[in-house]
Amino acid sequence: MLENYFIDSRTIYRLSNCGILGQKMEEYAKYLHEQEFSQNTTREYLRAAAHLSRFALWQSINDLSLFNETFACQFVNEHLPNCSCERLNKGKYHSTIRGVWQVLNFLSESKIIPSPADLIENSLIPKNPQPFKPLKPYPPIKSESGKPTPPRTDIASQVLIMNNLPKSMGGIILQYDEYLDSLFGLSKKTRDVHRLKAMLFLKWIYEEHGSDFQLSSLATQDILKFQEMCNEYGYSNDYRKTVTSCLRGFLRFLRWERIIQDDLTPAVYKLKEWKLASIPKHIPYETALLLLSAPDRETVKGKRDYLTLLLMLQLGLRANEIIQIKLEDISLTKGELLIHKTKSHRGRCLPITNEIADAIVDYFRVRPERQQSELILRTVRPYNPLKNSSSLGSVVRQYIEQLDIKVPSYGTHLLRHSLATHLVNNGASFKETADILGHTSIETTGIYAKVQIERLKDIALPFPCWEEVCVI
């Protein structure tokens, strides 16, 4: 039943593993469906049930019979006004309150708790709500020494940072990783990013206060000074957004484990961002196609690199999607390629062009014979699958520098953006482009409208001549 309301498998996982109510979530979704609530309302009520269940988990309540009106009032009056469990508290939680009331009715009809009193719904109104207000962000500070390279997220970098932390922190980092996995169902790659940012924060804390510092003594000023340090380093806005997001998550974990008593997430300010403010970094598609001539197709590496470049330039695949393609995902007889592991966690089936089919057959003839089912393997011993997407990024950079092509940025997404821009500028609809790229929302594809130069010329107002300006 949950699949009728949520597409993302991670969301379904979080709802089903949110605590004691998780085992009843399918039944609760069916109950809401029978009540004929709209789809959006049902989603809100399911999220509210998960929120209530996580609060029970935090309160060490493992018995559904204790989910009574007293517990519901405690959740509404004590937790919600100060809650920053998943996002900043804006003081708007009316749908959560109505969702809690529906949970009580559901448990009552299931004979788990007595029927709630008629007046209890009116008592589920927060008394004197005082939600935290996020602090205003500092203005960005440019570094005079230039922009440093952000720390890498590979295992070697994490081990190096971990070695500089007190030994007691190793258990907290592992505990944090388990928290992200079991409670939120984040992928390993995403957990790696969160874990590294948490270690960077801890490293800065102990450099600032010394190795004897206790995390229970964390204060708002520490959070602000850390963010000010990120500003002074001149990191990009996207990188600082990642840091602030991961920092909020780590602070929620510390409070979840009762390492800190106060909610410090409001001290993590939200960076100002204008949606679709930038345009995708791309190069002319004809220039991007020149990269196909760079690999030496007489070698195993050349055949492999030529295939990966084709997959990026003709199907717009992400690097992470390419390295996770398995042999059983390819059907040359049907001319189809199944993509399972995607950023949006939604699989899609793409057509295989003749050029890609020829490149696959050509690579199969020289591909190392191994038990691994991944399509793309290393070309030197050991012939294992590529570990991460940065390997393909290095391949693209190598051929860009080899041909001396002037590009706005290096990496595999440059080719993906170039293909998308080419499709939109040559008459492909946003829906068709979104299906190829695997976008769940057409609004994501809408950013490519800003690079339709010829179409923008058609709708632009003509500039008035001098005589018309004088008349005005």
Side-chain angles (χ1 to χ4, degrees), residues 282-299:
H282 67 285
I283 56 178
Y285 190 65
E286 295 74 16
T287 304
L289 289 177
L290 295 177
L291 293 173
L292 297 176
S293 63
D296 182 4
R297 297 178 62 186
E298 298 298 323
T299 64

Side-chain angles (χ1 to χ4, degrees), residues 157-169:
S157 299
Q158 296 189 35
V159 170
L160 182 63
I161 296 175
M162 182 70 81
N163 291 337
N164 294 325
L165 293 176
K167 293 183 179 179
S168 60
M169 288 300 99

Side-chain angles (χ1 to χ4, degrees), residues 88-138:
L88 290 177
N89 193 335
K90 297 182 179 179
K92 300 178 181 179
Y93 30 78
H94 299 293
S95 60
T96 304
I97 295 172
R98 289 192 292 268
V100 170
W101 174 245
Q102 291 300 328
V103 170
L104 296 180
N105 285 332
F106 163 70
L107 294 177
S108 173
E109 291 193 11
S110 301
K111 309 300 181 183
I112 298 175
I113 63 172
S115 179
D118 294 336
L119 299 178
I120 189 63
E121 185 173 12
N122 295 326
S123 66
L124 290 182
I125 299 176
K127 301 170 183 176
N128 302 321
Q130 296 179 350
F132 289 122
K133 294 183 179 180
L135 299 174
K136 293 183 179 179
Y138 286 113

